[in-house]
Amino acid sequence: MKKQFSNLDKLTLSNDFLFKHVMLRKRICKHILEELLHTEIADITYLEAEQTIEVYPDSHGIRLDVRIADTANTHYNLEMQVKNPVNRATGKFLLPKRTRYYQAMLDTDMLQKGQDYDELSPTYIIFFCLFDFFQDSQRIYTFKKRCLENMNIELADEAVIMFLNTLGTKGDVSPDIQSLFDYINSNTINSNFTREVADTIVEIKNDKKVRDAYMTYEMRMKDLRDEAHAEGKAEGLAEGKAEGLAEGKAEEKTATAKRLLSMGLSVEDIAKATSLSVEQVEKIKAEQI
């Protein structure tokens, strides 16, 4: 029990679990959106915090940290991204296509509720990144669809993706957003707003319901890690077994080729008998000399 509590006490705003709970404080979340978008928002409503949308049974689900709608029916999805994920097999970074998938799932979820295409709500997918994905030092990277032949023409599908680079040095942001970036990076409190965020985090960590939820969260994460480890181990054993069988068959063919060579059969006949190539049999013959 103490170990779980100490783990919770060590969490910072960059942690998914704590980030979600802080963003569930309406005043803080609403203020961040207003400062980012330079607009006033009358009110926000929380949809499904940490919702998993699975459109089809065999589809790849996505976990949404915080999903919000305002009084103008604009939908927001806020995510904390500490690491820059990469596909180990291809070496390609996953974040760009992850945003594409998030957007598709959000839109499909809306349409499943009976809306026509023109009723799709404006959406903002907002990633707080502790790294500079685009390596241009911008504090904010905002993406909308535009015509390549004439960049003044916007598709106007009302879908916006924003990457917030907490390490950025270019581009203007409000003082409160910059102080939030500083707080995410180093827990530095240098504004009334980050003082409010810090005080909120203390309050959250002292909430028994949150502590119980975090213990459940940690156990769930441990189970997922254990499952992934078990699957990886099983795959490794299967691959090892397959490799072992292949090696055994190769050794058996080599032994057969050696016996046939000692009996005086031609290289071509041995190749046909063992399914080895002529070159392989010649190599085995050369090694016997």
Side-chain angles (χ1 to χ4, degrees):
M1 185 73 70
K2 289 182 179 179
K3 181 180 179 181
Q4 296 292 343
F5 282 7
S6 64
N7 286 342
L8 175 61
D9 292 335
K10 292 176 182 177
L11 297 186
T12 64
L13 187 57
S14 62
N15 175 269
D16 279 342
F17 180 88
L18 192 56
F19 174 78
K20 180 194 74 172
H21 280 276
V22 172
M23 292 301 107
L24 289 176
R25 300 302 174 99
K26 181 180 288 189
R27 198 194 103 66
I28 291 176
C29 188
K30 178 174 172 289
H31 183 66
I32 289 173
L33 292 175
E34 288 178 328
E35 294 290 291
L36 281 175
L37 305 178
H38 308 289
T39 187
E40 290 188 10
I41 298 174
D43 196 13
I44 60 174
T45 302
Y46 291 94
L47 302 176
E48 298 87 1
E50 200 171 329
Q51 177 201 31
T52 299
I53 298 175
E54 290 182 338
V55 182
Y56 304 106
D58 59 347
S59 69
H60 180 68
I62 59 173
R63 185 176 63 82
L64 305 178
D65 281 352
V66 184
R67 188 178 171 196
I68 302 159
D70 64 18
T71 49
N73 201 33
T74 298
H75 287 220
Y76 308 89
N77 172 220
L78 280 67
E79 303 281 336
M80 178 61 71
Q81 193 71 40
V82 176
K83 296 181 180 179
N84 188 7
V86 63
N87 185 322
R88 293 181 180 178
T90 65
K92 293 183 178 180
F93 292 103
L94 303 178
L95 201 54
K97 287 191 177 180
R98 178 181 292 180
T99 64
R100 173 178 164 183
Y101 192 74
Y102 276 31
Q103 184 65 61
M105 293 298 99
L106 287 173
D107 289 343
T108 304
D109 185 56
M110 291 182 200
L111 287 177
Q112 282 188 324
K113 297 175 182 177
Q115 292 179 306
D116 293 327
Y117 291 115
D118 62 344
E119 294 180 280
L120 283 172
S121 301
T123 58
Y124 284 83
I125 294 178
I126 303 172
F127 278 85
F128 287 79
C129 298
L130 275 70
F131 52 90
D132 187 357
F133 183 85
F134 301 99
Q135 298 295 309
D136 192 44
S137 299
Q138 299 292 337
R139 290 183 172 91
I140 299 179
Y141 299 93
T142 304
F143 291 87
K144 296 181 180 180
K145 296 183 180 71
R146 292 188 178 275
C147 175
L148 293 179
E149 288 73 19
N150 185 345
M151 295 299 288
N152 292 321
I153 300 176
E154 184 182 331
L155 185 59
D157 61 352
E158 298 185 305
V160 180
I161 297 173
M162 300 177 69
F163 296 90
L164 311 184
N165 171 24
T166 63
L167 304 176
T169 56
K170 296 180 183 177
D172 294 330
V173 294
S174 72
D176 278 355
I177 292 298
Q178 183 58 57
S179 68
L180 180 64
F181 287 175
D182 294 339
Y183 184 72
I184 291 173
N185 291 333
S186 60
N187 285 328
T188 302
I189 298 172
N190 54 22
S191 70
N192 291 334
F193 179 57
T194 47
R195 167 52 63 191
E196 180 181 359
V197 172
D199 290 344
T200 299
I201 288 175
V202 172
E203 181 184 335
I204 289 170
K205 289 181 177 180
N206 288 328
D207 188 321
K208 185 180 183 303
K209 289 183 179 179
V210 175
R211 288 185 175 276
D212 292 343
Y214 182 67
M215 290 178 66
T216 302
Y217 170 84
E218 282 238 298
M219 287 188 289
R220 185 175 65 182
M221 292 298 102
K222 182 180 183 300
D223 289 342
L224 290 174
R225 288 192 297 268
D226 290 345
E227 288 175 10
H229 177 72
E231 289 177 2
K233 187 175 181 180
E235 289 178 2
L237 288 172
E239 290 176 2
K241 184 176 181 181
E243 290 176 1
L245 289 173
E247 289 177 1
K249 289 182 179 179
E251 291 175 358
E252 183 179 343
K253 289 181 179 181
T254 299
T256 300
K258 288 179 178 179
R259 287 197 300 272
L260 294 177
L261 282 167
S262 66
M263 295 169 62
L265 272 70
S266 69
V267 169
E268 289 76 13
D269 288 341
I270 295 173
K272 291 177 182 179
T274 60
S275 297
L276 292 171
S277 67
V278 172
E279 291 76 13
Q280 287 174 311
V281 177
E282 287 179 342
K283 182 179 179 181
I284 294 171
K285 184 177 180 180
E287 290 174 351
Q288 286 186 316
I289 298 174

